[in-house]
Amino acid sequence: MNPVVHFEMPYDDAERMQTFYTAAFGWQMQALGEQMGHYVLATTTRMDANPGMPAGAINGGFYPKRPDCPLYPSVVIAVADITEAMAKVSVAGGDVLGEPMEIPGVGLYVAFHDSEGNRVSMLQAFPQTSM
């Protein structure tokens, strides 16, 4: 399989976007400046593949919105407590879209708009049971 290894989303206001994702999810943000097209790196997890690291965890980045760039698909962010995460999103300036829905055998899912109007989702996974 080919795993997802990075994500990208556009922004209108770099400072507002960085403040949102830091406040709502604790991500570390690094603005790369004009020479790198005002790209902002988002560190959501360690990038090495050490044993014990969460499978499928990725880092990503944000770029300024431009008419010649398509909008990228939404990403799903894993959270430990969806109710707490929904509250943090709201306080940070996001808009939660409805109530969590149960995905049978997977977990609780809810979408939201971030501070830049991007549609993003959160998932609180159900505990895994051994067979």
Side-chain angles (χ1 to χ4, degrees):
M1 288 187 276
N2 296 312
V4 175
V5 295
H6 188 77
F7 67 84
E8 293 184 312
M9 291 190 289
Y11 66 79
D12 282 318
D13 182 313
E15 186 174 327
R16 181 179 64 198
M17 175 275 299
Q18 291 176 71
T19 299
F20 175 84
Y21 281 98
T22 299
F25 298 106
W27 294 358
Q28 295 176 352
M29 309 301 277
Q30 180 185 2
L32 299 182
E34 186 174 355
Q35 71 277 12
M36 295 297 289
H38 297 285
Y39 199 82
V40 180
L41 288 176
T43 301
T44 71
T45 186
R46 291 186 198 136
M47 199 56 195
D48 56 341
N50 291 331
M53 293 303 296
I58 64 171
N59 292 312
F62 294 80
Y63 59 91
K65 285 184 179 177
R66 297 187 324 253
D68 62 332
C69 285
L71 296 179
Y72 282 75
S74 178
V75 296
V76 178
I77 300 168
V79 297
D81 182 322
I82 202 160
T83 303
E84 181 181 314
M86 290 168 61
K88 286 182 177 180
V89 163
S90 294
V91 168
D95 181 30
V96 178
L97 305 175
E99 295 297 320
M101 62 180 265
E102 182 176 333
I103 301 173
V106 176
L108 299 174
Y109 168 93
V110 69
F112 64 94
H113 286 134
D114 70 5
S115 61
E116 304 309 297
N118 295 307
R119 188 176 189 277
V120 187
S121 305
M122 295 183 274
L123 177 71
Q124 176 185 326
F126 291 143
Q128 298 297 313
T129 58
S130 56
M131 299 271 193

